[in-house]
Amino acid sequence: MRTVDIAVRVRYAETDQMGIVYHSHYAVWFEIGRTEFCRAAGMPYRDLEHSGIRIPVIGLQCKYRRPAHYDDELTIRTRLPELSSRGLAFAYDVLDPDGQRMADGETRHIFADAQGRPTRAPADVVQTLE
């Protein structure tokens, strides 16, 4: 299964008063991961949009295992465990420099047209993401 890694460094603005990464930033990092996954697969999200296809998030899950702090260097590892003509799911691991899991999660998506209505993805889109 293809995996795509992207490095992020925790910015001060991403931390809360306790000095740890605020939970909502993991969702942003997941978005960065799936954007880079699509690009690495040869289907940049911009190209999907230009073709009239969207992949809105219909579900998000995240399990926080260890806190991340300001200036930590992290890796967002993304993979695509589920794909059909109707939707897909991305899985994510947030790793420290030693490969220890800080958090993991999943986003679920449907394929939709430019008006947001569910649609089937063209076969070439599904084949490219496979």
Side-chain angles (χ1 to χ4, degrees), residues 18-69:
M18 295 179 288
I20 62 174
V21 172
Y22 188 69
H23 67 274
S24 66
H25 293 286
Y26 289 84
V28 173
W29 294 343
F30 291 175
E31 180 181 357
I32 292 168
R34 76 177 162 270
T35 299
E36 293 305 318
F37 184 96
C38 290
R39 185 184 328 281
M43 183 59 63
Y45 194 75
R46 178 185 294 176
D47 292 353
L48 277 173
E49 286 188 336
H50 287 306
S51 73
I53 299 292
R54 309 290 192 268
I55 54 170
V57 175
I58 61 168
L60 180 136
Q61 175 268 326
C62 184
K63 181 161 186 161
Y64 307 98
R65 299 181 179 277
R66 297 187 3 213
H69 300 88

Side-chain angles (χ1 to χ4, degrees), residues 81-103:
E82 293 180 36
L83 175 63
S84 75
S85 64
R86 298 300 251 168
L88 60 165
F90 290 94
Y92 312 90
D93 291 312
V94 179
L95 307 169
D96 72 7
D98 296 324
Q100 297 293 314
R101 188 178 295 153
M102 308 293 286

